[in-house]
Amino acid sequence: MLLIKNGRLLDPASKTDAALDVLLDGERIAKVGAHLSAPGADLFDAKGLIVAPGFIDLHCHLREPGQEMSETIETGTRAAARGGFTAVCCMPNTQPVNDSASVTRGIVERAAAAGSVRVWPIGAASMGSKGEALAEIAAMKAAGIVAVSDDGKPVATARLMRQVMDYCNALDLPVMDHCEDPSLFAGGVMREGAQSMRLGLAGIPAQSESICAGRDVEIAGLTGARLHIAHMSTRGALEYVRAAKKQGLRVTSEVTPHHFTLTDEDVRYDTHYKMNPPLASREDRDALIAGLADGSVDAIATDHAPHHPASKDVEFDRAPFGITGFETAVALGLSELVHPGKVSLMRLVELFTTGPARVLGLERKIAPGEPADLTIFSDTHEWTFRAAESASKSHNTPFDGRAFRGAPMATIVAGRIAFRR
Amino acid sequence: MLQRLPHLLGIETLTSEQITFFLDQSKPFQEFQRHPLKKLATLRGRTVALAFFEPSTRTRISFSTAASRLGADTMQLQAESSSLKKGESLIDTVRTLEAMRPDSIVMRHSSSGAPAFVAERLGVPVVNAGDGTHEHPTQALLDALTIRDRKGTLEGWNITILGDILHSRVARSNIFLLSKFGARITLCGPAMWLPREVESLAPGLRRTSRTEEALEGADVVMVLRVQTERIHEPALAVEDYILGYQLTAKRLQLARPDALVMHPGPMIRGLEIDPSVADGPQSCVLEQVTNGLAVRMALLYHLVSGAAADAPHPTKE
């Protein structure tokens, strides 16, 4: 038994914001109440801290199987725990691609053996994510996937997307799409705009994303399926999501911490600023923040994309896309959204808990009988992030050396303390 | 007094004083090109590494000759013979070069920012000899020297740059340089190579897709090379380019009668420029080449010699 005392409990599901204790018994929450006592229980003093439901990351890359030089399930989930996440959804672009039940099972088993947090795999939509035949989606669902995606690239064609959505609708799985029009993308390496012009780097127009988001929303309307727009970075895509929600379509979206923090103006010849989708214009960034605040965006997701140092220590246009994100996500949310008053603390917690849970068709709350997954964080703790001290195998982040106010202080997964600062 | 630059990576971050300093330093080297004996001992014993990761003839020969006329030795690395083909990373290749102890690395690369990337990691002065679609600083310096020579001053001219602005490192460097000297710059080319964002490169840039409009009143016309590899993209028909953007004698009449015609080369006669204009009295194409030597000598002297900026000019030693 573990008793968490003296904390400020924030539970978006019940709209609770109060001084309440939580008693965990094994893998479940036993009791929630004021001034609880439990003789014999271990005590966690959460004085000055916020106790929230376990944070969920809808979008990450754990690189196992196949790219263990960059990350493994063990190191990735350790980093996730340090970032306050109790469950992470890993994208299927491993080697081999997670397009079969056997790969899914391998991930699930490895996570059970070596994972610090829960790992919920996302299966490929198409075989090898090649955009041709459907992957074995139902078999993967039986093995444990929570969604499908060809992430890294969009579901290749509108026709394939229709088939995937129809099929996943029957299986009650959300389809997560990496929205991008390949012909407009055209080998670009950053957002097209004044900065790409100045740096002489090939630009990707914002419409590359919004055109594909528009396509997907149309097909969500055609099929009635659950569509989730991954790592949304443009106002154009956000407008499609807003319109879809207004029509009652089951369309959700996520935004990454780097997209609500940085803009294309921050890009320099440093491959830690290279990710896909690329950092957006200031106008798009501000629109995303408005979307996070008003509910048009459902979740903050990290798109944690580790790459080992040698692969990033190259010319900008030759570097792979992606940055790590687990350990800075919560701190960026607090520093960039809550402290400046753009998003309330309760709303931030929603974006990490009930929001992503709803995308997956789950609930997330602190109540007796619920899984004992909790994220305990501080909104005042001052610290500096050092990439070299990260638990991830890779250190490709633009936030190395950044000072923060607020941090995850403890991550509790199934009643066990997976991380404590 | 001007501080020695650690590198020359681009024009954008230079001040007009620094640019003027280089142009002034180039002056005696221009005269020097007319000497029968074109060899100084200034950089004797020094080594300049020429790392050309992208095919180049003119710029490579120009830098190599500049180094040699200063008395320096050169080490040459060319894309064709480099280990990059064998999968070695850029940083390993240049570290290998650095281990041979050159005093400077002159670098051309098809990736924008590659010289900056190398400069950040190496302890040797790096000269950008053209990086991707970013900058080509020595080209802009030699163009500025040519304009200043011919027109007496660099200040305040109407400059028209004609061609594929979007993909041109020559255009970027020239825009950055000339705008520091009060030029009124007009950018002209096919619309898809002239996006609205080009206006953000410097204050007061004018943008038009109509060549006639762009040429009116121009004091200097800079014609850019048409990269035929780009024209083969689904972008533009060659015939259309010629029809709309070739600098013809008739079009040149719209410019000031004493307007200069410049071209960074290599030039394709009959495509971006009419042969009669290329060879005409207003053309400074060959002067640009000679001035390139002078500018590169001044630059290498500055970066490699370690001499104070107020030291006597090497040609006067």
Side-chain angles (χ1 to χ4, degrees):
Chain A
M1 300 232 281
L2 178 63
L3 179 61
I4 298 152
K5 275 196 80 72
N6 307 322
R8 170 183 172 192
L9 189 136
L10 269 185
D11 183 37
S14 58
K15 299 262 177 276
T16 304
D17 180 354
L20 290 171
D21 301 338
V22 185
L23 179 66
L24 309 180
D25 186 5
E27 298 190 3
R28 299 274 158 186
I29 295 172
K31 255 192 226 173
V32 182
H35 312 298
L36 291 184
S37 64
D42 293 328
L43 199 71
F44 185 108
D45 185 3
K47 191 167 168 16
L49 303 179
I50 295 154
V51 179
F55 286 8
I56 300 167
D57 186 3
L58 286 177
H59 193 141
C60 73
H61 302 269
L62 296 177
R63 304 297 188 217
E64 188 177 351
Q67 299 137 315
E68 290 85 352
M69 244 165 91
S70 302
E71 195 77 285
T72 62
I73 288 171
E74 185 186 352
T75 59
T77 56
R78 199 135 36 90
R82 288 172 63 87
F85 293 103
T86 59
V88 299
C89 302
C90 56
M91 283 295 174
N93 58 342
T94 46
Q95 288 168 1
V97 168
N98 182 16
D99 59 2
S100 69
S102 67
V103 178
T104 304
R105 272 195 299 272
I107 294 168
V108 169
E109 282 164 16
R110 186 73 196 133
S116 296
V117 306
R118 298 179 198 269
V119 174
W120 294 338
I122 295 167
S126 64
M127 276 293 181
S129 283
K130 287 193 178 128
E132 292 156 9
L134 289 200
E136 41 182 85
I137 298 174
M140 286 192 290
K141 192 188 177 198
I145 64 163
V146 295
V148 303
S149 179
D150 277 346
D151 187 57
K153 43 192 171 178
V155 171
T157 64
R159 180 160 181 268
L160 179 68
M161 185 51 119
R162 181 184 187 181
Q163 290 173 324
V164 170
M165 280 197 195
D166 266 336
Y167 193 60
C168 288
N169 200 10
L171 292 169
D172 198 25
L173 280 174
V175 179
M176 299 182 164
D177 203 22
H178 164 125
C179 290
E180 172 182 308
D181 180 284
S183 70
L184 272 181
F185 187 82
V189 297
M190 69 172 290
R191 173 66 74 237
E192 182 177 298
Q195 187 74 338
S196 71
M197 177 61 60
R198 197 176 74 78
L199 295 172
L201 291 172
I204 304 160
Q207 286 73 11
S208 165
E209 178 179 89
S210 54
I211 284 174
C212 188
R215 175 198 80 170
D216 290 354
V217 165
E218 287 289 342
I219 299 167
L222 180 66
T223 58
R226 285 157 67 190
L227 166 69
H228 179 72
I229 308 289
H231 45 49
M232 187 165 65
S233 71
T234 59
R235 199 190 50 167
L238 177 65
E239 291 304 332
Y240 282 116
V241 169
R242 278 209 177 107
K245 281 180 186 283
K246 201 173 278 178
Q247 283 174 56
L249 299 181
R250 297 194 293 167
V251 173
T252 55
S253 67
E254 71 192 24
V255 167
T256 73
H258 47 277
H259 284 111
F260 67 63
T261 301
L262 304 171
T263 70
D264 63 343
E265 295 164 39
D266 295 302
V267 177
R268 32 201 172 87
Y269 296 127
D270 175 345
T271 59
H272 294 154
Y273 290 85
K274 182 175 176 182
M275 64 289 283
N276 189 18
L279 295 173
S281 68
R282 186 180 289 265
E283 296 71 38
D284 279 346
R285 194 269 312 264
D286 292 347
L288 295 175
I289 292 176
L292 285 160
D294 71 17
S296 314
V297 178
D298 300 85
I300 293 172
T302 65
D303 196 5
H304 175 81
H307 291 287
H308 68 91
S311 73
K312 275 286 200 181
D313 198 22
V314 297
E315 302 89 310
F316 195 94
D317 55 7
R318 292 177 198 199
F321 291 102
I323 61 171
T324 59
F326 285 144
E327 293 174 55
T328 46
V330 172
L332 285 168
L334 290 165
S335 304
E336 299 295 321
L337 301 177
V338 175
H339 296 325
K342 294 171 180 167
V343 163
S344 72
L345 191 58
M346 181 66 93
R347 175 70 188 141
L348 183 76
V349 171
E350 251 175 51
L351 286 161
F352 279 116
T353 58
T354 47
R358 209 167 36 241
V359 171
L360 300 175
L362 305 171
E363 287 192 323
R364 203 65 166 170
K365 60 185 174 192
I366 300 181
E370 290 297 313
D373 287 15
L374 297 173
T375 296
I376 300 174
F377 67 97
S378 161
D379 60 346
T380 54
H381 179 76
E382 293 190 1
W383 66 294
T384 299
F385 174 66
R386 305 267 176 223
E389 295 164 10
S390 161
S392 171
K393 271 198 171 185
S394 296
H395 302 146
N396 50 308
T397 164
F399 301 118
D400 187 21
R402 196 171 175 109
F404 289 112
R405 193 153 65 88
M409 302 305 282
T411 307
I412 297 173
V413 182
R416 285 177 305 102
I417 300 179
F419 161 71
R420 186 165 189 177
R421 188 175 295 273
Chain B
M1 188 41 74
L2 181 110
Q3 270 208 308
R4 212 159 63 85
L5 291 174
H7 309 283
L8 180 67
L9 301 176
I11 297 291
E12 190 183 7
T13 53
L14 296 186
T15 63
S16 56
E17 291 73 25
Q18 287 171 318
I19 292 163
T20 303
F21 169 79
F22 279 122
L23 300 183
D24 292 345
Q25 288 277 301
S26 305
K27 201 79 203 145
F29 285 123
Q30 275 178 302
E31 287 152 25
F32 172 78
Q33 308 305 328
R34 291 191 279 271
H35 286 200
L37 298 174
K38 300 178 191 63
K39 187 89 167 177
L40 291 170
T42 312
L43 295 187
R44 194 166 57 197
R46 306 294 187 120
T47 309
V48 175
L50 303 175
F52 279 68
F53 297 94
E54 187 186 67
S56 157
T57 309
R58 319 161 61 94
T59 308
R60 185 167 50 79
I61 290 178
S62 180
F63 268 108
S64 152
T65 307
S68 133
R69 289 186 180 175
L70 285 165
D73 297 309
T74 56
M75 319 192 289
Q76 308 225 8
L77 178 137
Q78 286 166 55
E80 302 80 63
S81 60
S82 86
S83 41
L84 289 182
K85 287 241 161 98
K86 300 170 192 158
E88 190 177 51
S89 73
L90 172 62
I91 193 64
D92 285 331
T93 305
V94 294
R95 283 207 174 113
T96 305
L97 266 186
E98 188 191 28
M100 298 180 205
R101 303 280 180 261
D103 298 283
S104 173
I105 294 182
V106 176
M107 188 176 154
R108 166 165 292 192
H109 199 287
S110 59
S111 295
S112 298
F117 167 83
V118 167
E120 232 171 68
R121 286 160 178 77
L122 259 48
V124 205
V126 173
V127 177
N128 179 3
D131 62 328
T133 53
H134 175 227
E135 280 223 45
H136 192 353
T138 56
Q139 179 71 43
L141 287 170
L142 74 89
D143 287 346
L145 184 63
T146 308
I147 295 171
R148 201 176 76 165
D149 268 5
R150 281 277 198 125
K151 300 219 151 256
T153 172
L154 195 51
E155 297 282 343
W157 299 112
N158 294 319
I159 314 265
T160 298
I161 307 180
L162 185 62
D164 178 358
I165 309 291
L166 174 61
H167 300 104
S168 174
R169 55 193 174 208
V170 173
R172 273 180 188 68
S173 287
N174 267 308
I175 290 166
F176 291 140
L177 192 151
L178 294 164
S179 63
K180 294 180 203 286
F181 290 87
R184 288 174 299 278
I185 303 173
T186 302
L187 306 174
C188 178
M192 62 284 226
W193 293 339
L194 195 67
R196 194 174 50 240
E197 286 79 25
V198 296
E199 290 173 8
S200 66
L201 289 173
L205 294 178
R206 195 163 69 106
R207 185 171 67 103
T208 173
S209 278
R210 280 189 288 274
T211 308
E212 282 72 16
E213 194 181 306
L215 289 173
E216 214 163 303
D219 297 298
V220 176
V221 183
M222 295 183 158
V223 182
L224 299 175
R225 180 168 84 89
V226 172
Q227 292 169 286
T228 42
E229 60 271 22
R230 296 223 182 271
I231 226 158
H232 290 133
E233 282 177 13
L236 192 61
V238 175
E239 286 309 321
D240 270 24
Y241 191 88
I242 294 171
L243 182 70
Y245 301 98
Q246 184 183 83
L247 186 64
T248 59
K250 182 156 177 269
R251 282 186 170 139
L252 185 57
Q253 283 175 5
L254 295 165
R256 301 279 299 263
D258 58 349
L260 306 181
V261 174
M262 306 177 77
H263 193 298
M267 176 165 78
I268 307 178
R269 288 159 184 270
L271 180 48
E272 70 265 22
I273 192 164
D274 184 88
S276 69
V277 175
D279 301 328
Q282 289 164 270
S283 166
C284 352
V285 171
L286 295 175
E287 266 168 78
Q288 288 174 273
V289 175
T290 315
N291 286 340
L293 271 178
V295 160
R296 287 168 183 134
M297 283 180 80
L299 176 70
L300 289 176
Y301 170 68
H302 176 77
L303 289 179
V304 174
S305 75
D310 54 356
H313 196 276
T315 58
K316 304 287 187 286
E317 274 169 8

